[in-house]
Amino acid sequence: MNEDQAPVLVCKDLCISYYTRAGEIPAVVDFALTVKPGETIGIVGESGCGKSTVAMAIMQYMGANGGIKSGSITFKGRDLTQLSEHELRRIRGSEIAMIYQEPFASLNPSLKISTQLMEVPLAHETISKAEARQRAVQMLGDVKLPDPERLMDSYPHQLSGGQQQRVVIAMGLLSKPSLLLLDEPTTALDVTVEAGIVKLVADISKKFGTSQIYISHNLGLILETCDRVFVMYSGEVVEEGTIDSLFTWPKHPYTHGLFACIPLPTTDKNAAPLKPIRGQLPLPFERPPGCYYHPRCDHFKPGLCDNEHIAMEHVEGSAADHRVRCLRYKDIDHSKEAPGGEAKLAPALGEQVLEVDGMKKYYEVRDKSLRALFTGKRVRYVKANEALNFTAKEGETVAIVGESGCGKSTFAKVLMGLEKGTDGAVRHHGANLSEVAVRDRSAEQIGSLQMVFQNPFDTLNPSHSIGGQISRVIKKFGVEKDKKKIFDRVMTLLDTVKLPRDFYFRKPRQLSGGQKQRIGIARAFAGNPSMVIADEPVSALDVSVAAAVTELLMDIQREHKTTLLFISHDLSVVRYLSDRIVVMYLGHILERGTTEQIFAPPYSPYTEALLSAVPIADPEVTKREIVLEGNLPSAMNPPKGCPFCTRCHRRIGDICDNEPPPEQVVADRHVIKCHIPLEELREVAPVITVPDDSARIRTPQ
């Protein structure tokens, strides 16, 4: 970052509105931002706060009904709001580039990768097709994609999600832009892929001197990538400062509220649970007078906070660019507040509910190619699950973690009866369900195993009311037959998931994402299940909503002593809520044990890499860097020896390539599958180190 050079981008007094038949909707108010050459800026906040609107305004992609009401956006001395469409086209993609949240939506499925990449330099520069292709191949190599020439002739659907995102990054960087906008670039990716891509973007941006604006609700990612951060709430910036200043001494109550929603290594689901922000983000046309945050603020003072609109002011005694939009920040002593919510009793574990004994799931694939005809190998198998072994008790939370494609969801499908197991047993309350399809199970068996899905938008029928969908579950599983009792039970469930009772009559389209996920949880618990499988239930939610949903799951589990099987790749959430963890890779369990055992040496090398990839929103916590190279091998053609040997940073020789690793018992119920002797694994340094005085983190200066 060069302090002496002129800023790349300056947004001044920016107000952005959308115009509808209902009137003007002020999306962003009084926004100011300066980006210096080579600097990385982070913009954080809940969904609907205006982060993406700012990015679209910078790109001048406001749509037919959006516009800049006042203020200016100056890029390299030119006001973008005053440029013609022809002038903007010359800048977009060439000097300002953007990487969107969903990589597959950014690529044309009908065009080869080569066509889409070559289009960038061909459209913006006087260059031949041969030179454009050469530059595209070189950039694919720069983003660490193997065999760039082969990928150039591939279509988007032939690439994995991580590969697609790298192609989109390559596309954004092809013309060496001065400014790169990244809108939630890693939300849909595994933590290991995310770690590699974040490092990749940082390295390439440093190489080309690119300035960046990261838009995210992942505060851990912002801490690791940015120089300065802007916290937005309801269309305006409420706090801004350097990473060190804002993460160590935040001043605005909303910033503290965001930190209280994040499962840091210092939080504990029983002793110091997460503290969700109460209430909801106000709609743009329903913003309260004075401070927009005051209806949700624990430090609200009538007559002061709800009077006139509050301006940003410099924080006394802090860094020069640390500013806050709060009249009471000097009066609030955050160090006297409890770091988390109210302490809760840990649930007592009961008898064993689930036993997975050598469970295998293979998918048969018939190969009709000429090669298969000559070799005689016409039938091949995708080994999705390979000899899984673990147990779960009543009231226990068991997390299954690993990258996409490791077999987590396949196991859930076998457990739920959507697929049949190939071998082994999955016993629920003693009954082997692995070979019993869901249509052949009794109503009691189906009701006792329920699921909360990842995407709340796709799990509810849009044409049925909320009450009708929950009532159907209660009636179907024979919990209640009487209409009045069914209605009362639905109302009780709505109370349990902390939603108003009038939601009974609403349709899914009238609910937010977090509210839909709560309805999904209410429906899952409607049949009095003994076990609930939660498949990435909070990955698509804001940190504040995710904290509320996580605490809701924990409260219901405590009350009903439900066994929770939590499927995730987010080890921050897993560390917070799980009692035991199962680490999967390419269909194998490489390590299983209690949460404390998994997060401390000895580790499986794969567990070690997973822990290193977790973004932690705490500047006091130190972490070793381990970036996995390469992609997950094909489950149709897995390695002969250790499944992790092709990417392992601790590979010890041919034994890893040729012989399956043995299971080594570290302690009771703690098992590691690895060729490296336990004595050597115990000598490995901890990946995550938390200081002893971590309790003082984020107290005022």
Side-chain angles (χ1 to χ4, degrees), residues 153-459:
D153 293 323
S154 302
Y155 287 92
H157 72 270
Q158 296 173 303
L159 277 60
S160 69
Q163 289 174 327
Q164 289 172 11
Q165 190 64 292
R166 288 172 191 245
V167 168
V168 172
I169 290 170
M171 191 181 297
L173 293 168
L174 257 176
S175 286
K176 302 176 184 177
S178 302
L179 179 64
L180 182 64
L181 307 177
L182 302 101
D183 190 358
E184 301 278 11
T186 58
T187 299
L189 304 178
D190 290 319
V191 286
T192 49
V193 178
E194 176 185 83
I197 284 179
V198 165
K199 186 175 186 299
L200 169 74
V201 173
D203 291 345
I204 293 179
S205 296
K206 187 176 180 181
K207 177 180 177 182
F208 296 129
T210 310
S211 301
Q212 301 173 74
I213 297 179
Y214 261 95
I215 295 170
S216 180
H217 62 249
N218 186 338
L219 285 161
L221 176 67
I222 294 296
L223 174 63
E224 293 185 358
T225 57
C226 298
D227 304 306
R228 288 192 297 137
V229 61
F230 289 68
V231 181
M232 289 190 72
Y233 181 81
S234 191
E236 65 180 10
V237 175
V238 295
E239 188 167 7
E240 64 174 274
T242 63
I243 287 292
D244 182 60
S245 177
L246 191 138
F247 273 74
T248 310
W249 303 292
K251 298 299 181 185
H252 199 282
Y254 177 61
T255 312
H256 278 273
L258 286 179
F259 281 121
C261 294
I262 301 170
L264 298 172
T266 51
T267 53
D268 182 276
K269 68 177 180 179
N270 297 314
L274 299 179
K275 190 177 180 181
I277 302 172
R278 57 186 171 84
Q280 293 183 23
L281 194 79
L283 294 172
F285 51 85
E286 294 178 347
R287 288 171 180 147
C291 174
Y292 294 162
Y293 184 63
H294 84 248
R296 306 173 72 186
C297 184
D298 295 331
H299 307 284
F300 167 65
K301 189 173 182 179
L304 178 68
C305 301
D306 56 357
N307 197 357
E308 298 178 353
H309 186 253
I310 300 166
M312 294 284 281
E313 65 174 281
H314 173 68
V315 175
E316 293 181 7
S318 68
D321 57 355
H322 193 168
R323 302 196 304 155
V324 67
R325 197 185 298 270
C326 180
L327 298 175
R328 299 207 61 214
Y329 80 90
K330 298 176 187 174
D331 306 327
I332 304 169
D333 187 357
H334 292 286
S335 63
K336 292 184 179 179
E337 298 177 16
E342 294 181 9
K344 299 174 183 178
L345 290 174
L349 302 184
E351 63 181 13
Q352 186 169 289
V353 173
L354 178 72
E355 181 187 5
V356 183
D357 184 11
M359 197 280 280
K360 296 182 180 180
K361 174 59 185 175
Y362 293 174
Y363 292 98
E364 188 177 284
V365 178
R366 294 193 174 272
D367 192 344
K368 297 180 181 179
S369 66
L370 285 174
R371 181 182 176 185
L373 180 64
F374 286 117
T375 58
K377 295 181 179 179
R378 297 202 128 194
V379 178
R380 302 171 71 188
Y381 294 95
V382 175
K383 299 180 179 181
N385 290 147
E386 188 71 63
L388 304 187
N389 294 284
F390 67 93
T391 59
K393 295 182 178 180
E394 182 185 65
E396 188 174 38
T397 302
V398 178
I400 303 179
V401 301
E403 296 170 279
S404 297
C406 73
K408 307 187 298 291
S409 295
T410 300
F411 166 72
K413 288 177 183 177
V414 174
L415 179 59
M416 294 296 293
L418 302 176
E419 301 276 2
K420 286 186 178 182
T422 304
D423 196 5
V426 178
R427 299 185 184 91
H428 181 244
H429 287 299
N432 183 11
L433 300 180
S434 66
E435 297 180 358
V436 184
V438 66
R439 67 178 67 88
D440 299 323
R441 296 183 182 183
S442 65
E444 183 182 354
Q445 286 177 325
I446 296 172
S448 65
L449 281 168
Q450 288 296 295
M451 195 158 183
V452 179
F453 296 92
Q454 177 175 358
N455 193 340
F457 300 92
D458 295 337
T459 57

